[in-house]
Amino acid sequence: MNSASKHFVLAAGGTGGHLTPAFALAYELERRGHHIALITDRRGAEIPGKPDFLPAHVLPAGRFGKNPLKWIKGASAVMEGRRMALRLFESFEPSALVGFGGYPALPALLAARSAGLPSVIHEQNAVLGRVNRLLAGTVDAIATAYPEVDRLQSKFADKVHLVGNPVRPAVLALREEPFPPFTEDGLLRVLVTGGSQGARILSQVVPDGLAMLPPALRARLQVTQQCRPEDLEAVRERYATHDIPAELATYFEDMETRLADAHLFIGRAGASTIAELTAVGRPAILVPLPIATDDHQAVNTREMVKAGGARSIRQPSFTGKELAKQIQAMAQHPETLANAAHAAWNCGRPDAAEKLADLVESFGGAPIQDVIRVSGDTASAVRAGVRSAVATRSASE
């Protein structure tokens, strides 16, 4: 660990998927005695969970959609954000910039390149995001959450480092806790969430799917489900009709406790969701968001499904009948669910924040190769994964 105090700037889009790992890194760097600043948009500056010690700087960041008429306005906003980032660098004097994806990271990464400031990008998903894709060739290191990352060109393999996706300390603390006891006649506790606002498809399908389970299994259900506010009463009525005990809310402040108690998770396949499931070791039925950019949620499920820790159901196939079938396959016998939980746990990378901090901390000191705590075997596996993903994609095109 580097004992010298340094300054670092983190740049991330204003969603939880980008900011959760940024906050986890901020906590780790602050613990090591460094000073950190955050560049984001207005949503990111106001998002719950931001560390008190982390000042947020809101920069303009243009979006580039399909309408060319909006590109000029977007480019103008990006250049203004770049100028503001350069002024921040002059006063804060950071040793490196870390980008976590999202359009608000773009001006800061461009400014870092202009200022000759070392930069690292972290990719949370199993598909390299648009901003990270755009600047992969200009940054000093690429940190990934998965051994295989689609759309990451093989020519960048030598600067790729597998670190994982950092999760909140409260979730990480559950990793050494045992899987909740699940017996032939004990409760089956199911946790259902769809992101910060819930997912309507889950509210529509899950109650009826659970009702289709064999009576002996259905009688053991205990459900906790996050719903959209406008769906809450309708979902409550459906569970009451099926005589299934269910606790419903639009937001659970104690989500760590709910996750700790759960035997089975049903929900979307966002990067942070999967990172938390694998950190704790909870089996899952995942329903990737079909409109996710580059279908990245479906690709995110690849590692966990291959290991046996999850099952993935595409949304068009996500019916009550299919859900009941998959739950039966996973939960009909206690050992099957316990084995899936262990497989999920094996996919976890609990030292992600430390490894990412090691990588970031190495800038401004000794060369990366001398300090980064990524073993040669791990680095080789990542590079092989990059080349494999590229070869697979080329063969399919």
Side-chain angles (χ1 to χ4, degrees):
M1 182 169 67
N2 189 352
S3 59
S5 178
K6 299 179 184 178
H7 292 192
F8 296 101
V9 174
L10 314 184
T15 65
H18 296 303
L19 285 166
T20 296
F23 292 165
L25 176 62
Y27 277 115
E28 178 62 21
L29 290 174
E30 197 267 346
R31 186 187 70 81
R32 298 183 183 196
H34 302 302
H35 302 281
I36 313 98
L38 173 69
I39 287 176
T40 185
D41 59 14
R42 196 161 300 282
R43 294 175 304 163
E46 298 171 355
I47 199 168
K50 185 176 76 64
D52 293 337
F53 61 80
L54 186 63
H57 301 266
V58 176
L59 268 61
R63 299 183 68 87
F64 299 88
K66 296 180 180 179
N67 185 355
L69 297 178
K70 295 183 178 180
W71 292 356
I72 296 176
K73 183 178 179 181
S76 176
V78 168
M79 297 314 293
E80 174 58 23
R82 175 181 168 277
R83 286 190 289 270
M84 293 174 66
L86 284 170
R87 289 198 292 271
L88 172 63
F89 297 163
E90 289 177 2
S91 60
F92 192 64
E93 297 184 348
S95 295
L97 172 82
V98 190
F100 288 87
Y103 284 104
L106 178 57
L109 285 163
L110 291 174
R113 182 184 182 189
S114 176
L117 182 67
S119 58
V120 177
I121 53 176
H122 178 269
E123 180 54 61
Q124 302 89 51
N125 293 297
V127 181
L128 199 64
R130 289 177 179 174
V131 169
N132 285 348
R133 211 152 62 219
L134 180 65
L135 296 175
T138 69
V139 298
D140 296 275
I142 301 169
T144 66
Y146 296 92
E148 293 185 45
V149 180
D150 291 359
R151 298 219 172 192
L152 176 53
Q153 296 182 51
S154 58
K155 66 183 179 181
F156 301 137
D158 288 341
K159 58 180 175 181
V160 172
H161 303 267
L162 174 62
V163 300
N165 195 12
V167 300
R168 295 169 292 152
V171 172
L172 196 58
L174 302 173
R175 182 164 175 83
E176 300 308 321
E177 298 293 324
F179 184 63
F182 178 60
T183 61
E184 293 283 0
D185 55 358
L187 288 174
L188 172 59
R189 290 189 290 270
V190 180
L191 175 63
V192 187
T193 75
S196 59
Q197 296 299 317
R200 177 154 292 162
I201 188 70
L202 298 174
S203 295
Q204 293 169 342
V205 172
V206 174
D208 293 342
L210 294 176
M212 293 179 187
L213 292 171
L217 187 56
R218 186 178 65 198
R220 298 159 53 199
L221 288 171
Q222 188 175 74
V223 180
T224 299
Q225 182 163 348
Q226 181 191 41
C227 307
R228 291 173 180 265
E230 61 270 25
D231 296 335
L232 202 58
E233 289 309 314
V235 177
R236 184 172 283 120
E237 288 179 10
R238 292 170 92 167
Y239 277 119
T241 300
H242 298 315
D243 197 26
I244 296 174
E247 182 181 0
L248 310 177
T250 57
Y251 179 74
F252 291 105
E253 290 189 1
D254 58 341
M255 188 58 79
E256 295 84 9
T257 302
R258 311 289 174 156
L259 187 58
D261 291 340
H263 295 111
L264 178 65
F265 173 88
I266 302 172
R268 293 299 195 192
S272 292
T273 295
I274 291 182
E276 294 191 352
L277 290 171
T278 55
V280 179
R282 291 298 178 269
I285 294 175
L286 301 169
V287 187
L289 179 68
I291 60 171
T293 305
D294 298 319
D295 201 23
H296 68 256
Q297 286 204 5
V299 186
N300 286 350
T301 69
R302 181 168 55 197
E303 183 183 35
M304 199 175 172
V305 169
K306 184 178 180 180
R311 300 190 176 216
S312 180
I313 306 175
R314 288 285 195 166
Q315 187 159 306
S317 302
F318 185 58
T319 63
K321 184 177 180 180
E322 181 63 22
L323 176 62
K325 173 185 172 183
Q326 297 298 339
I327 293 175
Q328 275 188 266
M330 296 183 76
Q332 199 161 26
H333 304 291
E335 64 273 13
T336 306
L337 201 61
N339 289 340
H342 187 64
W345 190 90
N346 280 337
C347 292
R349 296 183 173 88
D351 54 357
E354 288 85 354
K355 282 189 173 181
L356 183 56
D358 289 344
L359 176 61
V360 171
E361 199 177 46
S362 67
F363 289 100
I368 296 177
Q369 292 84 354
D370 294 338
V371 224
I372 181 65
R373 299 176 196 166
V374 178
S375 71
D377 290 343
T378 301
S380 298
V382 179
R383 289 161 191 155
V386 172
R387 296 184 180 107
S388 172
V390 172
T392 302
R393 189 175 68 252
S394 299
S396 64
E397 288 176 348

